[in-house]
Amino acid sequence: PAVPDLPVVKPDPGKPPAARPADKGKAPRVEQRLVTVVIDPGHGGEDPGARGRRGTHEKDVTLAISRRLKERIDREPGMRAVLTRDGDYFIGLAQRVQKARRVQADLFVSVHADAWVQPNARGSSVFALSERGATSAAARWLAKRENESDLIGGVNLDVKDPVLARTLLDLSQTATINDSLKLGKAVLGELGDINHLHKASVEQAGFAVLKAPDIPSILVETAFISNPQEELRLKDSAYQEKMAEAILQGLRNYLAKNPPLARARLAQNP
Protein backbone atom coordinates (compact mmCIF):
# COMPACT_ATOMS: atom_id res chain seq x y z
CA PRO A 1 0.00 0.00 0.00
CA ALA A 2 1.06 3.58 -0.64
CA VAL A 3 2.64 5.39 2.27
CA PRO A 4 0.81 8.68 3.01
CA ASP A 5 2.85 11.86 2.93
CA LEU A 6 4.01 13.04 6.33
CA PRO A 7 3.02 16.58 7.33
CA VAL A 8 5.68 19.19 6.76
CA VAL A 9 6.97 20.74 9.99
CA LYS A 10 8.12 24.29 9.37
CA PRO A 11 11.11 25.41 11.42
CA ASP A 12 10.62 28.19 13.94
CA PRO A 13 12.00 31.48 12.52
CA GLY A 14 15.08 32.65 14.34
CA LYS A 15 16.12 29.20 15.51
CA PRO A 16 18.97 27.19 13.95
CA PRO A 17 17.98 24.25 11.76
CA ALA A 18 17.31 21.11 13.74
CA ALA A 19 19.86 18.36 13.65
CA ARG A 20 19.13 15.51 11.23
CA PRO A 21 18.02 12.37 13.07
CA ALA A 22 20.82 9.84 13.35
CA ASP A 23 18.49 6.91 12.66
CA LYS A 24 16.65 7.55 9.42
CA GLY A 25 14.41 4.61 10.11
CA LYS A 26 12.69 6.40 12.98
CA ALA A 27 10.27 9.32 12.68
CA PRO A 28 11.44 12.48 14.48
CA ARG A 29 9.62 13.32 17.69
CA VAL A 30 8.42 16.77 18.61
CA GLU A 31 9.81 18.31 21.78
CA GLN A 32 7.34 19.82 24.19
CA ARG A 33 8.06 23.45 25.00
CA LEU A 34 7.32 25.63 27.97
CA VAL A 35 4.54 28.19 27.80
CA THR A 36 6.28 31.52 28.39
CA VAL A 37 4.50 34.23 30.36
CA VAL A 38 6.14 37.66 30.50
CA ILE A 39 5.23 39.56 33.68
CA ASP A 40 5.66 43.31 33.53
CA PRO A 41 5.89 45.10 36.90
CA GLY A 42 4.63 48.60 36.12
CA HIS A 43 6.89 51.66 36.52
CA GLY A 44 10.27 51.53 38.32
CA GLY A 45 13.31 53.66 39.06
CA GLU A 46 12.73 57.38 38.59
CA ASP A 47 9.14 56.56 37.59
CA PRO A 48 7.42 55.60 40.89
CA GLY A 49 3.93 55.43 39.39
CA ALA A 50 1.01 56.36 41.61
CA ARG A 51 1.53 57.09 45.30
CA GLY A 52 -0.80 56.12 48.11
CA ARG A 53 -1.87 58.43 50.89
CA ARG A 54 0.31 56.45 53.29
CA GLY A 55 3.36 56.88 51.06
CA THR A 56 3.26 53.56 49.22
CA HIS A 57 4.74 53.66 45.72
CA GLU A 58 3.10 51.75 42.89
CA LYS A 59 6.48 50.58 41.54
CA ASP A 60 7.19 48.69 44.80
CA VAL A 61 3.79 47.00 44.98
CA THR A 62 3.85 45.90 41.35
CA LEU A 63 7.31 44.37 41.70
CA ALA A 64 6.36 42.49 44.88
CA ILE A 65 3.23 40.98 43.31
CA SER A 66 5.06 40.21 40.04
CA ARG A 67 7.81 38.33 41.86
CA ARG A 68 5.23 36.24 43.71
CA LEU A 69 3.45 35.53 40.43
CA LYS A 70 6.71 34.48 38.77
CA GLU A 71 7.48 32.04 41.59
CA ARG A 72 4.07 30.42 41.19
CA ILE A 73 4.26 30.20 37.40
CA ASP A 74 7.75 28.69 37.52
CA ARG A 75 6.37 25.92 39.75
CA GLU A 76 3.66 25.09 37.20
CA PRO A 77 4.39 22.10 34.94
CA GLY A 78 5.02 23.25 31.38
CA MET A 79 5.20 26.97 32.21
CA ARG A 80 7.89 29.56 32.85
CA ALA A 81 7.80 33.27 33.68
CA VAL A 82 10.09 36.12 32.65
CA LEU A 83 10.08 39.53 34.37
CA THR A 84 10.59 42.69 32.32
CA ARG A 85 12.34 44.13 35.38
CA ASP A 86 13.50 42.45 38.58
CA GLY A 87 14.62 45.53 40.47
CA ASP A 88 13.92 49.20 41.05
CA TYR A 89 15.04 50.66 37.74
CA PHE A 90 13.43 52.40 34.79
CA ILE A 91 12.59 50.51 31.61
CA GLY A 92 10.77 52.07 28.66
CA LEU A 93 7.41 50.86 27.42
CA ALA A 94 8.78 49.85 24.02
CA GLN A 95 11.60 47.91 25.71
CA ARG A 96 9.05 45.94 27.72
CA VAL A 97 7.26 44.89 24.53
CA GLN A 98 10.56 44.11 22.80
CA LYS A 99 11.62 41.85 25.65
CA ALA A 100 8.37 39.92 25.43
CA ARG A 101 8.88 39.38 21.72
CA ARG A 102 12.55 38.51 22.19
CA VAL A 103 11.74 35.63 24.54
CA GLN A 104 8.84 34.56 22.28
CA ALA A 105 6.24 35.13 24.96
CA ASP A 106 2.90 33.37 24.71
CA LEU A 107 1.20 35.76 27.13
CA PHE A 108 2.01 39.21 28.54
CA VAL A 109 0.69 40.46 31.90
CA SER A 110 1.43 44.02 33.01
CA VAL A 111 0.86 44.53 36.76
CA HIS A 112 -0.24 47.93 38.10
CA ALA A 113 -2.05 49.63 40.99
CA ASP A 114 -4.83 52.04 40.09
CA ALA A 115 -5.25 55.60 41.36
CA TRP A 116 -7.93 58.26 41.25
CA VAL A 117 -8.36 61.80 42.55
CA GLN A 118 -11.03 60.69 45.03
CA PRO A 119 -10.01 58.24 47.78
CA ASN A 120 -13.27 56.26 47.65
CA ALA A 121 -12.56 54.69 44.24
CA ARG A 122 -11.86 51.00 44.77
CA GLY A 123 -11.62 47.60 43.15
CA SER A 124 -9.57 45.55 40.73
CA SER A 125 -9.84 45.77 36.95
CA VAL A 126 -8.32 44.32 33.78
CA PHE A 127 -7.58 46.09 30.50
CA ALA A 128 -6.82 44.97 26.97
CA LEU A 129 -5.68 47.02 23.99
CA SER A 130 -8.24 48.93 21.95
CA GLU A 131 -7.82 49.69 18.26
CA ARG A 132 -10.46 52.42 18.19
CA GLY A 133 -10.38 54.16 21.55
CA ALA A 134 -11.06 53.71 25.22
CA THR A 135 -14.23 52.09 26.57
CA SER A 136 -14.62 54.88 29.12
CA ALA A 137 -13.27 58.31 29.96
CA ALA A 138 -11.48 56.82 32.96
CA ALA A 139 -9.84 54.18 30.76
CA ARG A 140 -8.66 56.90 28.37
CA TRP A 141 -7.25 58.92 31.27
CA LEU A 142 -5.50 55.90 32.71
CA ALA A 143 -3.91 54.93 29.39
CA LYS A 144 -2.69 58.49 28.91
CA ARG A 145 -1.13 58.49 32.38
CA GLU A 146 0.59 55.13 31.87
CA ASN A 147 1.84 56.01 28.39
CA GLU A 148 3.42 59.18 29.75
CA SER A 149 5.70 57.02 31.91
CA ASP A 150 8.19 57.01 29.03
CA LEU A 151 8.46 60.79 29.17
CA ILE A 152 9.93 60.49 32.67
CA GLY A 153 12.78 58.46 31.21
CA GLY A 154 13.32 60.93 28.40
CA VAL A 155 11.77 58.80 25.67
CA ASN A 156 9.80 60.48 22.90
CA LEU A 157 6.70 58.36 22.31
CA ASP A 158 6.31 59.85 18.82
CA VAL A 159 9.44 57.99 17.69
CA LYS A 160 8.34 54.41 17.87
CA ASP A 161 10.02 51.10 17.25
CA PRO A 162 8.99 49.77 13.80
CA VAL A 163 7.18 46.86 15.44
CA LEU A 164 5.04 49.26 17.48
CA ALA A 165 4.54 51.71 14.62
CA ARG A 166 2.82 49.14 12.44
CA THR A 167 1.02 47.38 15.27
CA LEU A 168 -2.46 48.74 14.66
CA LEU A 169 -2.09 48.17 10.91
CA ASP A 170 -1.14 44.53 11.31
CA LEU A 171 -3.96 42.15 10.51
CA SER A 172 -2.90 39.86 13.33
CA GLN A 173 -3.68 42.61 15.84
CA THR A 174 -7.43 42.04 15.72
CA ALA A 175 -7.05 38.34 16.49
CA THR A 176 -4.56 39.14 19.24
CA ILE A 177 -6.95 41.65 20.83
CA ASN A 178 -9.71 39.04 20.78
CA ASP A 179 -7.40 36.61 22.58
CA SER A 180 -6.41 39.36 25.01
CA LEU A 181 -10.08 39.93 25.86
CA LYS A 182 -10.52 36.20 26.54
CA LEU A 183 -7.42 36.21 28.73
CA GLY A 184 -8.61 39.32 30.54
CA LYS A 185 -12.03 37.82 31.19
CA ALA A 186 -10.45 34.67 32.66
CA VAL A 187 -8.24 36.71 35.00
CA LEU A 188 -11.00 39.15 35.96
CA GLY A 189 -13.23 36.26 36.98
CA GLU A 190 -10.63 35.13 39.50
CA LEU A 191 -9.91 38.64 40.82
CA GLY A 192 -13.57 38.96 41.75
CA ASP A 193 -13.08 36.21 44.33
CA ILE A 194 -10.50 38.19 46.30
CA ASN A 195 -11.49 41.82 45.78
CA HIS A 196 -14.31 44.08 44.69
CA LEU A 197 -14.29 44.59 40.90
CA HIS A 198 -14.09 48.20 39.78
CA LYS A 199 -15.71 47.18 36.48
CA ALA A 200 -17.45 43.87 35.86
CA SER A 201 -16.02 43.47 32.35
CA VAL A 202 -12.64 43.84 30.67
CA GLU A 203 -12.03 47.43 29.57
CA GLN A 204 -10.04 48.58 26.57
CA ALA A 205 -7.72 51.52 25.97
CA GLY A 206 -4.62 52.43 23.97
CA PHE A 207 -1.93 51.25 26.37
CA ALA A 208 1.46 51.35 24.63
CA VAL A 209 2.73 48.43 26.70
CA LEU A 210 -0.01 46.14 25.31
CA LYS A 211 0.84 46.70 21.65
CA ALA A 212 2.73 43.51 20.79
CA PRO A 213 0.95 42.46 17.58
CA ASP A 214 1.20 38.73 18.19
CA ILE A 215 1.08 38.25 21.99
CA PRO A 216 -2.20 38.26 23.96
CA SER A 217 -1.58 41.05 26.48
CA ILE A 218 -3.45 42.40 29.48
CA LEU A 219 -2.92 45.08 32.10
CA VAL A 220 -4.09 44.18 35.62
CA GLU A 221 -4.98 46.97 38.04
CA THR A 222 -4.62 45.05 41.29
CA ALA A 223 -6.42 47.62 43.49
CA PHE A 224 -6.60 51.39 44.07
CA ILE A 225 -3.45 52.59 45.81
CA SER A 226 -5.24 55.93 46.29
CA ASN A 227 -7.83 54.20 48.51
CA PRO A 228 -6.45 54.00 52.09
CA GLN A 229 -8.00 50.58 52.78
CA GLU A 230 -6.82 49.09 49.51
CA GLU A 231 -3.39 50.65 49.92
CA LEU A 232 -3.00 48.66 53.13
CA ARG A 233 -4.07 45.49 51.33
CA LEU A 234 -1.58 46.08 48.52
CA LYS A 235 1.23 46.26 51.09
CA ASP A 236 0.05 43.08 52.84
CA SER A 237 1.97 39.94 51.88
CA ALA A 238 -1.12 37.74 52.26
CA TYR A 239 -3.08 39.87 49.78
CA GLN A 240 -0.12 39.90 47.39
CA GLU A 241 -0.11 36.10 47.51
CA LYS A 242 -3.85 35.95 46.86
CA MET A 243 -3.48 38.35 43.94
CA ALA A 244 -0.66 36.29 42.42
CA GLU A 245 -2.69 33.07 42.82
CA ALA A 246 -5.80 34.67 41.29
CA ILE A 247 -3.86 35.85 38.23
CA LEU A 248 -2.23 32.43 37.85
CA GLN A 249 -5.60 30.67 38.05
CA GLY A 250 -6.91 33.01 35.37
CA LEU A 251 -3.94 32.08 33.17
CA ARG A 252 -4.64 28.39 33.78
CA ASN A 253 -8.29 28.81 32.83
CA TYR A 254 -7.39 30.67 29.65
CA LEU A 255 -4.71 28.17 28.56
CA ALA A 256 -7.07 25.24 29.18
CA LYS A 257 -9.41 26.63 26.52
CA ASN A 258 -6.86 28.41 24.33
CA PRO A 259 -3.61 26.41 24.17
CA PRO A 260 -0.85 28.37 22.44
CA LEU A 261 0.19 27.36 18.95
CA ALA A 262 2.96 24.81 19.05
CA ARG A 263 6.38 26.16 18.25
CA ALA A 264 7.64 22.65 17.71
CA ARG A 265 11.17 21.76 16.74
CA LEU A 266 12.45 18.43 15.55
CA ALA A 267 14.53 16.43 18.00
CA GLN A 268 16.44 13.23 17.67
CA ASN A 269 14.77 10.17 19.12
CA PRO A 270 16.71 8.55 21.98
Side-chain angles (χ1 to χ4, degrees):
V3 178
D5 291 336
L6 293 175
V8 177
V9 180
K10 295 183 179 180
D12 191 6
K15 289 187 177 179
R20 184 180 298 275
D23 187 350
K24 295 183 180 180
K26 292 182 180 180
R29 65 180 173 84
V30 176
E31 281 188 343
Q32 295 297 317
R33 68 176 181 88
L34 295 175
V35 173
T36 300
V37 181
V38 167
I39 308 167
D40 174 46
H43 307 280
E46 62 264 41
D47 172 22
R51 181 176 177 177
R53 294 172 180 267
R54 302 173 189 269
T56 309
H57 287 135
E58 181 181 3
K59 65 177 182 178
D60 299 326
V61 168
T62 61
L63 183 58
I65 294 174
S66 296
R67 282 173 170 167
R68 294 178 189 276
L69 178 57
K70 174 177 166 53
E71 288 176 5
R72 288 174 178 271
I73 290 176
D74 286 342
R75 293 199 298 263
E76 287 287 299
M79 294 179 71
R80 69 159 182 156
V82 177
L83 292 171
T84 58
R85 70 175 178 95
D86 192 20
D88 185 17
Y89 51 85
F90 179 84
I91 178 171
L93 300 177
Q95 292 173 281
R96 297 168 192 255
V97 179
Q98 288 165 1
K99 183 167 186 176
R101 303 196 81 242
R102 188 165 62 246
V103 301
Q104 295 186 311
D106 296 291
L107 302 173
F108 181 91
V109 180
S110 193
V111 179
H112 289 256
D114 215 335
W116 191 242
V117 291
Q118 299 297 329
N120 57 341
R122 67 189 182 103
S124 302
S125 53
V126 177
F127 289 83
L129 181 67
S130 169
E131 287 183 291
R132 295 183 178 85
T135 50
S136 69
R140 188 179 306 111
W141 175 85
L142 181 63
K144 181 176 183 295
R145 190 193 75 186
E146 295 297 346
N147 291 346
E148 285 173 349
S149 291
D150 265 357
L151 301 181
I152 297 172
V155 178
N156 183 353
L157 287 177
D158 291 330
V159 181
K160 289 185 172 64
D161 175 274
V163 172
L164 296 180
R166 68 171 183 266
T167 293
L168 298 181
L169 301 177
D170 194 316
L171 291 177
S172 69
Q173 186 73 76
T174 300
T176 300
I177 289 176
N178 287 337
D179 285 337
S180 300
L181 289 169
K182 292 177 185 177
L183 173 62
K185 184 177 180 181
V187 170
L188 191 68
E190 296 300 321
L191 296 182
D193 290 340
I194 66 166
N195 195 25
H196 171 80
L197 293 181
H198 186 62
K199 289 289 180 67
S201 59
V202 179
E203 294 197 82
Q204 291 179 263
F207 290 98
V209 79
L210 300 183
K211 289 186 177 180
D214 50 356
I215 305 170
S217 305
I218 59 172
L219 187 146
V220 178
E221 295 286 0
T222 52
F224 274 82
I225 201 170
S226 55
N227 180 301
Q229 288 75 36
E230 291 202 341
E231 180 184 1
L232 286 176
R233 298 187 75 190
L234 286 169
K235 293 173 64 177
D236 179 62
S237 59
Y239 181 76
Q240 292 175 0
E241 289 284 356
K242 288 180 181 179
M243 179 59 62
E245 179 59 35
I247 295 174
L248 173 58
Q249 186 57 50
L251 300 181
R252 289 193 196 106
N253 295 344
Y254 170 82
L255 290 170
K257 296 180 180 178
N258 305 275
L261 295 175
R263 292 182 189 141
R265 66 170 183 257
L266 295 177
Q268 183 175 322
N269 275 328

